[in-house]
Amino acid sequence: EDAAARYARKADLKSLEKSTVIPCQIKGYGPEVVRGLIGRRGQTLKSLEAVVADDGKHLCVIEVDTDRCQVVVFTTRDRLKDGEKIVRDAMEARHNDLKNESNEIPVVSHRGDGTRMVLGKGG
């Protein structure tokens, strides 16, 4: 009997199937939202991967493509649905932050007091 046959008998095919890493592609957000997932020095992305990986219980890699404005979550089959939700929630939070952002620009300044223009979503 060869090694492959011995391994096949011992292998639990259900757990092997669960531990297979598969991708989930997320699109539909702009470049600022996608870039926001990376964060400063990649810290946001690393922490997001840790949350999806559930403190090392699962494998997770998140690939961010800012040129195509897409994110791909690679994780195990049993964690994919939760992982996708975690990443989508993070992207939606960043999207909402950008929607509610405004910027004040001084137009005329006289002794620290002056006219300002506020750029924002409006309403």
Side-chain angles (χ1 to χ4, degrees):
E1 182 176 38
D2 65 343
R6 283 194 306 266
Y7 179 75
R9 264 190 291 122
K10 292 180 184 177
D12 178 8
L13 294 179
K14 287 216 185 267
S15 66
L16 187 61
E17 187 178 302
K18 279 185 179 180
S19 65
T20 302
V21 174
I22 55 175
C24 173
Q25 193 174 68
I26 301 172
K27 292 181 177 181
Y29 292 92
E32 287 297 317
V33 173
V34 173
R35 263 189 235 108
L37 272 186
I38 299 170
R40 188 180 180 129
R41 296 185 179 161
Q43 290 303 311
T44 305
L45 186 61
K46 288 176 189 174
S47 64
L48 201 55
E49 285 176 341
V51 170
V52 174
D54 197 16
D55 293 326
K57 294 177 188 165
H58 304 271
L59 179 64
C60 175
V61 175
I62 300 173
E63 189 177 276
V64 178
D65 186 343
T66 55
D67 293 332
R68 293 185 184 151
C69 295
Q70 71 181 18
V71 176
V72 182
V73 180
F74 294 91
T75 190
T76 54
R77 186 177 305 278
D78 57 339
R79 187 67 176 157
L80 190 64
K81 194 173 189 177
D82 291 335
E84 179 186 4
K85 183 180 180 340
I86 290 166
V87 174
R88 280 192 190 277
D89 288 349
M91 292 177 80
E92 195 60 38
R94 176 71 178 142
H95 180 73
N96 288 334
D97 287 347
L98 289 171
K99 275 197 318 191
N100 298 325
E101 189 177 81
S102 64
N103 193 9
E104 282 191 28
I105 302 169
V107 178
V108 178
S109 183
H110 185 271
R111 296 184 194 162
D113 192 26
T115 306
R116 295 181 311 275
M117 177 173 48
V118 178
L119 299 175
K121 177 181 163 191

